[in-house]
Amino acid sequence: MAQQGSLHGEVYYPSPEVIARARLKDWDALAKRAQEDLEGFWAEEASELEWYQKWERVLDDSQKPFYKWFIGGKVNIVHNCLDRHQTTYRKNKLALIWVGEPGDVRTYSYFALHREVNQFANVLKAMGIRKGDRVTIYMPRIPEIVIAMLACAKIGAIHSVVYGGFSVDALQGRIEDSQSRMVITADGGWMNGKIVELKKTVDEALKRCPSVESVIVVKRTGQEIRMEPGRDYWYHELIKLPVANGHCPTEVMDAEDPLFILYTSGTTGKPKAILHVHGGYMVGVYSTLKYVFDIQDDDRWWCAADPGWITGHSYIVYGPLLLGATSFMYEGAPTYPYPDRWWALIEKYGITILYTAPTAIRGLMRFGESWPNRHDLSSLRLLGTVGEPINPEAWKWYYRVIGKERCPIMDTWWQTETGMFMITPTPVVPLKPGSGTRPFFGQEADILDEQGNPVPVGEEGYLVLKRPWPAMLRTIYGDPERYVKQYWSKYPGLYMTGDSARRDEDGYFWIIGRVDDVIKVSGYRLGTAEIESALVSHPAVAEAAAIGLPHEVKGNAIHAYCLLRAGYTPSEALAEELRQHVAQHLGPIAKPEKIEFVTSLPKTRSGKIMRRVLRARALGMPEGDLSTLEE
Ligand code: WT7
């Protein structure tokens, strides 16, 4: 990839070998086709999948922003992930290769995965779970999380996966909001050589969740745990019952029927339940994974995210199975027991595509090149990144040390809400380190100022999406008003991403970061409101404000300002206690880097904390317009 051609700045052009192998060679032609006929483009993509009954219309925008896709179509995403492969050679192809942190290995062919999903779906039905019921899944990165999600979808139940790194308050809030009837969990999971005690957290959370009737527990770590008679059941015992035997018919769903909800942090208040549906989500995820990572039959795809986030939903669970691909999944930490664990796994399993986050790259980069250089990484042909902007140094390290200057890096910008990649290259698109390049086929993005006018080239503004797409969120579950307000009100008719960005002279997009009260810590999305409410739940804290400040590995780190109640005095010990308190209640990922005790917080006259001012002060930058600051 030499630097030649007509684009500005530092550009990496795909090699002839990459172009020769790519399924899609002419990006411009397909982009033009999709631009001119959005519905036609998506109809063609949808036709590559199987439908019980074909749709009557591709897009219904008569009730904007409540868009509907593939209206009248009957489908089930699981039919396309599993059932349809059973009558092809893929039946005996590996769907999943899984490695546990302690080194145990399990593999599932499409046949085996289909069989186990059938069994577990039978169990769920026997336990009274019906179409439309919510089921919370709180599990480590083990094959059963995939099986549980697919089993729910197969029978039309709505899964709500809560990331296993969250703690009791986060879990409890999400169970309660979704009114789940069941929780599927494990005794624990392995992370950094230690057991994460998931079942204990579930027990704590369920003290305040009356909607939950039963709990299914996968035995993973094997330590002694409490099982509540009449409520808790072992997974391995249930799937051996006669009722688990035999075929479980895949529920025929309407294209617009709910598939899952996934909670994500937004501006103020509690996390939002983002709702995705069977039809459009399926088509969007299938098409993006096909074009962007160009997965073919001989690939071994590794999306190193957790199934508990949208990245895992779309590109560990559903996307690869829709494509009939072989996926790799690893339970534990990248640095356990040594910082070459990932590189050793790539070598051993012949991984061809690795998709991860900038924070992981930066973290592994710190250990130096000798760790990856000890391994043969020549199986790799494509790399990917997601979750936050990637700094050019990390991009170049990834490109040179891991990809050996052969593997294009797909920097995919998207969100829980978008369900699928939105701004992304494909392997044939010239790359610029740190840019996600251009919108995916059929999409158009813009960068606007406060008034809604496009900003000039090179200037920062609000990133918006201009056209509907099939995997778009349908609503915030249980709160349609908030859906409209949050995403479609600032600029009526346009989808507000919450990110700021700029565009360069070649039309390439550069994401700068969140402009709302969301903090991206190691790529994880956290809300200032959640962190603050965890802090004020401690008896010492009267008021709290959380902000994100730049961090070398994590991208952003949480800094919290606390105002203490009368009778409490600031101390190092109290700061540490508060950090632990947040970790215990919300999750270790939300633990503040630093806690500062203050005697006042900058607020607007209406009492809103001005986090912008706190950030500016911490960074030694101008504090900007203070006209609304309370005296
Ligand atoms: C936010 C969405 C969707 C996958 C994981 C994150 C940031 C995501 C990129 C990227 C720059 C990115 C944005 C976005 N983000 N990908 N390639 N470059 N920023 O999903 O947790 O819903 O977070 O992640 O700020 O708004 P999420």
Side-chain angles (χ1 to χ4, degrees):
M1 286 203 200
Q3 293 188 34
Q4 32 159 278
S6 56
L7 299 175
H8 302 75
E10 192 178 354
V11 187
Y12 291 70
Y13 289 88
S15 67
E17 296 79 62
V18 167
I19 295 175
R21 157 118 199 190
R23 166 193 264 126
L24 173 81
K25 308 230 188 305
D26 192 344
W27 188 92
D28 295 297
L30 192 58
K32 185 161 177 284
R33 147 106 182 94
Q35 212 49 247
E36 287 165 359
D37 181 10
L38 182 72
E39 294 185 33
F41 168 75
W42 283 116
E44 255 168 46
E45 293 301 312
S47 306
E48 293 179 10
L49 296 161
E50 290 182 5
W51 297 73
Y52 298 123
Q53 184 184 303
K54 206 185 157 185
W55 58 91
E56 283 145 27
R57 278 173 65 196
V58 177
L59 173 64
D60 175 358
D61 59 2
S62 61
Q63 285 156 50
K64 281 188 274 210
F66 296 94
Y67 293 90
K68 293 194 178 93
W69 285 83
F70 305 109
I71 302 95
K74 299 278 181 213
V75 74
N76 187 311
I77 194 168
V78 177
H79 174 85
N80 281 293
C81 287
L82 296 175
D83 305 0
R84 76 178 176 126
H85 302 309
Q86 302 308 313
T87 50
T88 72
Y89 68 94
R90 287 199 175 115
K91 181 174 178 178
N92 295 314
K93 181 180 170 176
L94 286 186
L96 183 64
I97 305 171
W98 173 82
V99 175
E101 197 186 71
D104 43 339
V105 180
R106 271 196 271 161
T107 57
Y108 291 82
S109 64
Y110 273 88
F111 173 78
L113 191 61
H114 178 249
R115 183 193 57 215
E116 190 142 339
V117 168
N118 262 297
Q119 289 172 330
F120 194 50
N122 279 329
V123 167
L124 292 179
K125 271 186 157 170
M127 291 180 74
I129 299 298
R130 297 280 171 268
K131 181 173 173 177
D133 285 344
R134 275 79 61 213
V135 173
T136 294
I137 299 178
Y138 180 66
M139 287 174 84
R141 213 144 52 216
I142 55 175
E144 286 84 355
I145 188 171
V146 179
I147 293 162
M149 289 166 72
L150 293 166
C152 286
K154 186 179 174 75
I155 63 169
I158 304 171
H159 59 70
S160 167
V161 182
V162 179
Y163 172 56
F166 276 126
S167 300
V168 57
D169 290 5
L171 177 62
Q172 188 260 330
R174 287 157 172 78
I175 295 174
E176 190 176 78
D177 186 81
S178 63
Q179 288 293 300
S180 288
R181 295 185 57 201
M182 177 188 270
V183 175
I184 306 171
T185 187
D187 51 353
W190 291 104
M191 191 52 73
N192 274 311
K194 295 192 204 82
I195 292 175
V196 182
E197 302 232 33
L198 296 167
K199 176 63 165 57
K200 250 193 194 154
T201 307
V202 171
D203 288 341
E204 262 318 295
L206 291 194
K207 287 182 184 159
R208 291 173 282 151
C209 295
S211 66
V212 174
E213 296 153 25
S214 47
V215 178
I216 299 181
V217 187
V218 175
K219 198 182 211 103
R220 166 66 187 134
T221 43
Q223 82 279 18
E224 204 48 54
I225 58 162
R226 196 179 72 91
M227 293 290 278
E228 188 170 306
R231 188 195 71 182
D232 300 351
Y233 302 87
W234 286 108
Y235 177 96
H236 63 272
E237 289 176 359
L238 293 173
I239 59 163
K240 270 191 242 136
L241 296 175
V243 50
N245 286 342
H247 181 70
C248 170
T250 304
E251 189 80 27
V252 175
M253 305 294 282
D254 193 273
E256 284 289 313
D257 275 339
L259 170 61
F260 65 83
I261 52 177
L262 185 57
Y263 285 85
T264 193
S265 308
T267 309
T268 65
K270 50 181 194 166
K272 305 169 287 190
I274 302 303
L275 177 77
H276 285 288
V277 300
H278 273 261
Y281 174 82
M282 170 184 81
V283 175
V285 165
Y286 166 79
S287 175
T288 46
L289 189 59
K290 181 185 71 173
Y291 288 121
V292 175
F293 283 103
D294 199 22
I295 296 186
Q296 302 183 27
D297 245 341
D298 55 349
D299 274 312
R300 281 193 169 178
W301 158 255
W302 183 7
C303 169
D306 191 278
W309 301 92
I310 191 69
T311 312
H313 280 56
S314 298
Y315 299 114
I316 295 178
V317 181
Y318 292 112
L321 297 175
L322 288 169
L323 283 160
T326 299
S327 247
F328 177 81
M329 184 160 96
Y330 163 61
E331 176 185 31
T335 49
Y336 187 85
Y338 299 109
D340 64 344
R341 186 71 189 265
W342 273 17
W343 318 130
L345 290 168
I346 290 173
E347 177 173 15
K348 179 159 180 188
Y349 292 96
I351 303 301
T352 59
I353 314 174
L354 174 67
Y355 183 43
T356 183
T359 186
I361 298 160
R362 289 192 296 260
L364 291 165
M365 207 170 127
R366 279 193 314 173
F367 293 100
E369 287 177 35
S370 60
W371 291 102
N373 287 347
R374 210 169 276 188
H375 297 278
D376 177 3
L377 304 181
S378 61
S379 58
L380 288 172
R381 69 176 188 90
L382 272 179
L383 301 172
T385 162
V386 61
E388 53 175 326
I390 183 163
N391 47 313
E393 303 74 61
W395 194 99
K396 285 179 200 168
W397 189 86
Y398 196 26
Y399 184 71
R400 181 175 58 81
V401 179
I402 306 308
K404 311 294 179 203
E405 305 187 353
R406 289 185 300 105
C407 310
I409 300 176
M410 302 297 104
D411 182 348
T412 59
W413 175 90
W414 57 298
Q415 309 178 303
T416 306
E417 292 88 341
T418 69
M420 65 181 224
F421 308 146
M422 298 307 295
I423 297 180
T424 175
T426 71
V428 298
V429 171
L431 305 172
K432 302 188 190 190
S435 168
T437 76
R438 297 174 285 210
F440 188 73
F441 308 118
Q443 192 45 261
E444 235 182 293
D446 211 344
I447 299 173
L448 307 180
D449 65 15
E450 204 60 54
Q451 285 70 44
N453 306 308
V455 302
V457 165
E459 276 179 33
E460 180 174 351
Y462 298 105
L463 177 69
V464 297
L465 301 174
K466 297 174 77 169
R467 308 185 80 183
W469 64 99
M472 65 200 300
L473 77 163
R474 292 305 191 267
T475 188
I476 294 174
Y477 188 72
D479 200 348
E481 273 165 44
R482 193 167 170 204
Y483 164 71
V484 178
K485 188 158 168 275
Q486 183 90 48
Y487 302 105
W488 303 93
S489 321
K490 188 171 171 83
Y491 309 112
L494 301 179
Y495 172 83
M496 170 77 181
T497 64
D499 279 350
S500 73
R502 57 190 182 78
R503 188 167 27 186
D504 69 17
E505 58 265 71
D506 300 312
Y508 276 42
F509 285 82
W510 300 75
I511 308 298
I512 295 163
R514 299 291 306 192
V515 286
D516 52 8
D517 295 327
V518 168
I519 311 179
K520 282 262 149 172
V521 183
S522 300
Y524 297 122
R525 180 163 159 181
L526 295 166
T528 52
E530 289 164 282
I531 302 160
E532 289 159 5
S533 68
L535 282 165
V536 297
S537 75
H538 187 283
V541 182
E543 267 190 277
I547 58 166
L549 292 178
H551 184 280
E552 215 180 305
V553 175
K554 299 177 180 173
N556 295 289
I558 299 165
H559 288 241
Y561 299 83
C562 295
L563 222 131
L564 293 180
R565 283 183 196 283
Y568 289 90
T569 37
S571 71
E572 243 338 285
L574 181 57
E576 185 49 33
E577 188 180 320
L578 293 176
R579 294 176 66 236
Q580 294 302 343
H581 180 81
V582 176
Q584 253 166 39
H585 284 258
L586 194 51
I589 49 166
K591 189 157 140 188
E593 192 80 3
K594 201 167 165 225
I595 298 221
E596 245 181 80
F597 297 107
V598 292
T599 49
S600 74
L601 289 168
K603 285 190 191 159
T604 61
R605 283 185 209 109
S606 58
K608 273 176 72 179
I609 297 170
M610 295 178 83
R611 297 188 186 81
R612 169 177 70 78
V613 174
L614 286 170
R615 256 179 72 83
R617 283 183 192 162
L619 295 170
M621 296 197 328
E623 291 180 16
D625 179 10
L626 294 180
S627 60
T628 56
L629 191 69
E630 178 192 57
E631 288 306 309

